[in-house]
Amino acid sequence: MGGKRHFRVWRGDESGGELQDYQVEVNEGEVVLDVIHRLQATDAPDLACRWNCKAGKCGSCSMEINGMPKLGCMTRMSTFEENETVTVTPLRTFPIIRDLVTDVSFNYEKARETPAFAPPADLAPGEYRMQQVDVERSQEFRKCIECFLCQNTCHVVRDHEENKQAFAGPRYFIRAAELDMHPLDAKTDRKEYAQAEQGLGFCNITKCCTEVCPEHIKITDNAIIPMKERVVDRRYDPLVWLGSKIFRRPMTETVGHGETSVLGAVHAQPKGGVHSHAGGSHDPHAEAEAQRGVNWHRQVPKPTVPPVDEHGRLPLTELTFDRPAAPSPFGDDVTFPMPVEHLNYAHPEQDEKKH
């Protein structure tokens, strides 16, 4: 129902702030972000709030509503009692910039530290083949919109600032799990890297990250717990230990000058303090391999200009254009199916002869 509602919104910056009370008009069917926009238009024009799509797909409007990490654009006002005070505060885990805007660069730093997909060395772009079941296995993790609500609610970094350097967080655990499940990923130490460099052992699987995920990704059950189980199998399973003794494969071995490998995870001291973009391994070879995850030589079709008339205006319908429909975004000189050398991925059966 419409009418005035009581809001308490945190106002301030990195030097400090406080909750301020507002009476804001609320209409039927609105979400919290609508009310924040109305508040900016009426009583608080200088209120800072980050948002973009207003459709629950960009993850920009992350905030804490009545103490619960949520997306402002996906939290309906009808879920609150009419006489209930709605308290809106910024994400508590990250540094305040101003009002409801926080500095989430911690997450981007962890993203750069995560080794990228490394395709097999014996396959060229366009030769990758995957079973559909392998695609579906990791598809859930690709739904992540990077709202960082899971990162915010994870008490490992929420309550312990000193853990941030050694802990990547649930968002990047699902990235590690996705790549570990990928049948074409050439890096075989994803589990060990998650344990040694991303701080997988810090997580005690309280499932708080799963509870706040707006995409309903089962972060704990489908990513973190399986990764923990695989680490335990390799590191503590007595049969694996016995096999390492029989086949003379030590759990920790020297792999180069100043480097050691723990269950396949490479650790090297960075030279000159430069951090490898391939991850915490600081391995130049790993960085080079990480860059192979994209076919940089793919021929990308040139964009075409929009179909405008002699006055420079876009046509209202196809009837006003001199050709049926609009020009192809791929360009007029592109034929389909596109040649294999223009693709990063190809269908498994595209090379089979047609009957």
Side-chain angles (χ1 to χ4, degrees), residues 306-316 320-322:
V308 296
D309 57 20
E310 63 273 13
H311 303 293
R313 298 175 180 175
L314 289 171
L316 298 177
T320 62
F321 193 56
D322 59 352

Side-chain angles (χ1 to χ4, degrees), residues 236-249:
Y236 303 112
D237 192 316
L239 294 178
V240 175
W241 176 85
L242 181 61
S244 68
K245 296 297 183 182
I246 294 175
F247 297 104
R248 304 286 184 180
R249 296 181 63 182

Side-chain angles (χ1 to χ4, degrees), residues 253-264:
E253 60 184 0
T254 301
V255 296
H257 298 290
E259 300 178 357
T260 60
S261 175
V262 182
L263 291 172

Side-chain angles (χ1 to χ4, degrees), residues 301-307 321 323 326-334:
K302 296 181 179 180
T304 58
V305 297
F321 193 56
R323 281 175 292 172
S328 168
F330 296 97
D332 295 333
D333 58 340
V334 176

